[in-house]
Amino acid sequence: MSQSFDIAVVGATGTVGETIVQILEERNFPTADLHLLASSESAGHSVPFRGKNVRVREVDAFDFSKVQLVFFAAGPAVTLSFAAKASAAGCIVIDLSGALPSAQAPQVVPEANSQVLEGLKKPLQVSSPSPSATALAVVLAPLRGLLDMQYVNVTACLAVSAQGREAVSELARQTTALLNLHPLETHFFDRQMAFNLLAQVGKPDAQGHVPLEKRLVTELREVLGMPALKISATCIQAPVFFGDSFSVSVQLAGPVDLDAVNAALEAGDGIELVEDGDYPTAVGDAVGQDVVYVGRVRHGVDDTSQLNLWLTSDNVRKGAALNAVQLAELLIKDQL
Amino acid sequence: MSQSFDIAVVGATGTVGETIVQILEERNFPTADLHLLASSESAGHSVPFRGKNVRVREVDAFDFSKVQLVFFAAGPAVTLSFAAKASAAGCIVIDLSGALPSAQAPQVVPEANSQVLEGLKKPLQVSSPSPSATALAVVLAPLRGLLDMQYVNVTACLAVSAQGREAVSELARQTTALLNLHPLETHFFDRQMAFNLLAQVGKPDAQGHVPLEKRLVTELREVLGMPALKISATCIQAPVFFGDSFSVSVQLAGPVDLDAVNAALEAGDGIELVEDGDYPTAVGDAVGQDVVYVGRVRHGVDDTSQLNLWLTSDNVRKGAALNAVQLAELLIKDQL
């Protein structure tokens, strides 16, 4: 006998929420009733699931005792308002907002630290890390045993879709205006995003770091199980609709054997290694895929103790929705 | 009595060559006759200078004894073909192509190592470094005395204009096609450049490094006068028409005082420091300007021995044409 689960997706009208629904269907997740929830503004929309349109309802009025599994794919405030209710009602909670402390809901990427789920106590709460930390964890995890990593340096070039539909529309609108020599209007972004790069994604703290950068560092350390790893992160906003790209430079204690690195990446789960001389791109390779692409595996220009990598990942799918569904699959295993 | 110089610009129809002509006029460079030279395909065009259109002629047929100063703003092959002739004719040679060995034509950025010019012997030959090395040198030069730099990590997000007019047209054409849901055509780039990032600018060698990255490392070390400085460089192609952006992370021997860094940058030549909390962009700030913009001056997320910076620079103007004209101004000083 196979068991099915009643599931709620909070934030179902966002790009990540919609993709979770799509992946539940694609992967044949044992779903009985699917409840799609959102804020009052988005309630009333509908999202397709298994050939039917499922109506999105207000999260405020929802009775969480109707479901056994909840994905939180809205902002941190929504998670903070409703996760406790969902847990109290006995639900498994999978949060994608970064709102829950990791002592309560550990950050997990199945390819890197699925063992954490085994020790998890009820109420089951787990966090799916930010798309950047997820992509980096998938690729660095199989290198942990091989390399003595001293310092990880990341410049993350992020797609606008991570900021939601309004950001996507504004990039398209600004680009069209510029190509037609119309005046540029800025609404969502505070300056020209089209044909430009923005050096800050979010509001910096007094030290100049934005929350995304701090999340990347904290979550990556936790997921890799390397709390003392030095990580430097700069998150920039690229004029790209979907797909994140990462320029990664790892400083090692000694010379690194690139053949061994390539072999470990080849063997790693959730990774597609692109052959030497070529490289993956966000749009051309990563978007719509279930793997993180890796290319440009090389030493420093004259430093064999440095490993350089270029990664691309679908920020919405691999970086968020798919990771969350993979977590759900692992968490329900014991209950089937 | 003030002396004027007869000048030749080789590669006058390129974006950098045209900008050199424009800057010679803007800065009132003591120019008598101006000879604009290019390959046979571009000969016949004309470029405006001091209210007149100057006709571009074939470089092959040019008699370099007619001029005293030559800018080489075409590809390395052109420099290699004609620089010796120009020198033999007694010309000062300023090369922007990176073709000449630095023992013969040292790399110079006035803000960083103008003292090199004083020791220069005839025939006077000097190289203006790649736009990336130039921008980085301007900003790192005033920090040399202050910081014990261990490692400089750079991800350079380069504008397509560095690759010439064809690259600029293709980005516009691809973008228009995508926004109009027309099929994408690739001619200059080998894949989609619009709304995408390409991880490699040029053809990699067997070790995976592209010439631009090797130039950046070699030239930056030379210009900073720090031959042993460890530098890691990744050059990526951004869907940006004009203006380069740099994510820079400098590892230091010990904790760094950000106030001292800000003060040194404030006092540095050719630098515009953007206030804390804000940041410059290529398009919004750097393009058309004579300075390199610096922002996001900060420590690592929890590492005070790291200095992070974000730079933007006009790759054509500040990174190339202006630097070359500044070199010319310094070289002719003794001869005036």
Side-chain angles (χ1 to χ4, degrees):
Chain A
M1 199 195 92
S2 75
Q3 203 196 325
S4 279
F5 293 81
D6 302 309
I7 299 176
V9 178
V10 182
T13 55
T15 45
V16 172
E18 267 195 13
T19 308
I20 289 175
V21 173
Q22 189 186 316
I23 293 176
L24 290 172
E25 178 169 344
E26 280 175 21
R27 292 173 76 98
N28 242 325
F29 193 92
T31 312
D33 276 352
L34 180 67
H35 298 266
L36 303 186
L37 306 171
S39 63
S40 52
E41 300 106 70
S42 300
H45 289 132
S46 62
V47 174
F49 181 68
R50 293 185 182 159
K52 289 194 291 189
N53 280 323
V54 181
R55 206 177 174 80
V56 177
R57 288 179 298 168
E58 262 191 63
V59 61
D60 297 66
F62 187 67
D63 173 9
F64 283 96
S65 70
K66 286 183 177 172
V67 297
Q68 295 90 52
L69 172 63
V70 186
F71 292 96
F72 281 94
V78 177
T79 299
L80 292 174
S81 300
F82 299 100
K85 279 186 200 169
S87 275
C91 302
I92 298 174
V93 165
I94 298 177
D95 180 42
L96 295 98
S97 75
L100 303 178
S102 66
Q104 176 187 338
Q107 303 283 347
V108 182
V109 173
E111 291 90 337
N113 65 336
S114 60
Q115 79 284 355
V116 168
L117 301 178
E118 287 154 30
L120 218 56
K121 297 209 169 44
K122 290 192 177 178
L124 295 179
Q125 295 191 328
V126 62
S127 298
S128 186
S130 61
S132 298
T134 301
L136 288 158
V138 166
V139 173
L140 295 179
L143 302 178
R144 278 175 298 188
L146 187 67
L147 307 176
D148 187 355
M149 299 190 228
Q150 308 280 299
Y151 218 111
V152 178
N153 230 294
V154 180
T155 294
C157 306
L158 305 180
V160 297
S161 50
Q163 308 245 34
R165 292 188 206 288
E166 251 189 282
V168 169
S169 309
E170 176 139 325
L171 173 56
R173 209 165 42 231
Q174 281 193 7
T175 308
T176 308
L178 287 170
L179 289 174
N180 289 294
L181 307 176
H182 291 163
L184 185 87
E185 288 182 28
T186 57
H187 302 282
F188 182 86
F189 297 106
D190 65 350
R191 59 194 89 188
Q192 180 178 333
M193 175 75 261
F195 305 116
N196 202 11
L197 296 164
L198 309 187
Q200 229 163 239
V201 186
K203 214 177 139 53
D205 62 17
Q207 284 70 46
H209 308 295
V210 299
L212 263 184
E213 289 161 353
K214 293 168 80 174
R215 270 189 82 180
L216 190 161
V217 171
T218 315
E219 294 172 353
L220 185 55
R221 281 183 187 145
E222 180 184 345
V223 173
L224 292 176
M226 301 171 77
L229 182 62
K230 286 188 165 187
I231 302 172
S232 155
T234 299
C235 292
I236 69 177
Q237 188 78 75
V240 168
F241 290 112
F242 294 96
D244 291 341
S245 302
F246 304 88
S247 168
V248 182
S249 194
V250 187
Q251 211 49 47
L252 305 156
V256 56
D257 174 1
L258 293 183
D259 289 338
V261 169
N262 280 316
L265 291 172
E266 247 345 327
D269 290 332
I271 298 173
E272 177 82 25
L273 182 64
V274 171
E275 65 200 89
D276 267 10
D278 198 6
Y279 60 89
T281 74
V283 172
D285 299 284
V287 169
Q289 300 301 317
D290 291 353
V291 290
V292 180
Y293 283 78
V294 187
R296 297 209 72 195
V297 178
R298 66 199 195 281
H299 287 133
V301 166
D302 43 17
D303 181 1
T304 55
S305 299
Q306 189 184 56
L307 174 66
N308 289 291
L309 305 167
W310 170 259
L311 323 184
T312 65
S313 167
D314 185 327
N315 55 307
V316 172
R317 187 179 177 87
K318 180 62 181 168
L322 176 63
N323 195 67
V325 174
Q326 285 178 311
L327 292 176
E329 288 171 347
L330 293 171
L331 285 169
I332 63 165
K333 249 192 191 164
D334 301 337
Q335 311 200 12
L336 285 176
Chain B
M1 196 198 91
S2 74
Q3 202 197 322
S4 278
F5 294 81
D6 302 308
I7 298 176
V9 178
V10 181
T13 56
T15 45
V16 172
E18 269 195 12
T19 308
I20 288 175
V21 173
Q22 190 187 317
I23 293 175
L24 289 172
E25 178 169 345
E26 281 174 22
R27 292 172 75 98
N28 241 328
F29 193 93
T31 312
D33 276 351
L34 180 67
H35 299 266
L36 303 185
L37 307 170
S39 62
S40 51
E41 300 106 70
S42 299
H45 290 132
S46 62
V47 174
F49 181 69
R50 293 184 182 160
K52 288 194 291 188
N53 280 323
V54 182
R55 206 178 176 79
V56 177
R57 287 178 299 167
E58 261 191 65
V59 61
D60 297 67
F62 188 68
D63 172 8
F64 284 95
S65 71
K66 287 182 176 173
V67 297
Q68 296 89 51
L69 172 63
V70 186
F71 292 97
F72 282 95
V78 178
T79 300
L80 292 174
S81 299
F82 299 100
K85 278 186 201 170
S87 276
C91 303
I92 297 175
V93 165
I94 298 179
D95 180 41
L96 295 97
S97 76
L100 303 177
S102 66
Q104 175 186 339
Q107 304 282 347
V108 182
V109 173
E111 291 89 339
N113 65 337
S114 61
Q115 79 284 354
V116 167
L117 301 177
E118 287 154 28
L120 218 56
K121 297 206 170 47
K122 289 190 178 177
L124 296 179
Q125 295 190 329
V126 61
S127 299
S128 186
S130 60
S132 298
T134 301
L136 287 158
V138 165
V139 173
L140 294 179
L143 302 178
R144 277 175 300 188
L146 186 67
L147 306 177
D148 187 355
M149 299 191 228
Q150 307 281 299
Y151 219 110
V152 178
N153 231 295
V154 180
T155 295
C157 306
L158 306 180
V160 297
S161 51
Q163 307 246 35
R165 292 188 206 287
E166 251 189 282
V168 169
S169 310
E170 178 140 323
L171 173 57
R173 209 167 41 231
Q174 282 193 6
T175 308
T176 308
L178 287 169
L179 289 174
N180 289 294
L181 306 176
H182 290 163
L184 185 87
E185 288 181 27
T186 57
H187 302 284
F188 182 86
F189 297 106
D190 65 350
R191 58 194 91 188
Q192 180 178 334
M193 176 75 261
F195 306 116
N196 202 10
L197 296 165
L198 309 187
Q200 229 163 241
V201 186
K203 213 178 139 55
D205 62 16
Q207 284 70 46
H209 307 295
V210 299
L212 264 184
E213 289 161 352
K214 294 168 81 174
R215 269 189 83 181
L216 190 160
V217 171
T218 314
E219 294 172 352
L220 185 55
R221 281 183 186 144
E222 181 183 345
V223 173
L224 291 176
M226 301 171 77
L229 182 62
K230 285 187 165 188
I231 303 172
S232 155
T234 300
C235 292
I236 70 178
Q237 189 77 76
V240 169
F241 291 112
F242 295 96
D244 290 341
S245 302
F246 303 88
S247 168
V248 182
S249 195
V250 187
Q251 210 50 46
L252 306 156
V256 55
D257 174 1
L258 294 183
D259 289 339
V261 168
N262 279 315
L265 292 172
E266 255 332 336
D269 288 333
I271 297 173
E272 177 81 26
L273 182 64
V274 171
E275 65 199 87
D276 267 9
D278 198 5
Y279 60 89
T281 74
V283 173
D285 298 284
V287 169
Q289 300 301 317
D290 290 353
V291 290
V292 180
Y293 283 78
V294 187
R296 297 210 71 195
V297 178
R298 66 198 195 282
H299 286 134
V301 166
D302 44 14
D303 181 2
T304 55
S305 298
Q306 190 184 54
L307 173 67
N308 288 292
L309 305 167
W310 171 259
L311 323 184
T312 65
S313 168
D314 185 327
N315 54 308
V316 173
R317 188 179 177 88
K318 180 63 182 167
L322 176 63
N323 194 68
V325 175
Q326 285 178 311
L327 292 175
E329 288 171 349
L330 293 170
L331 285 169
I332 63 164
K333 250 190 189 166
D334 302 337
Q335 313 200 10
L336 285 177

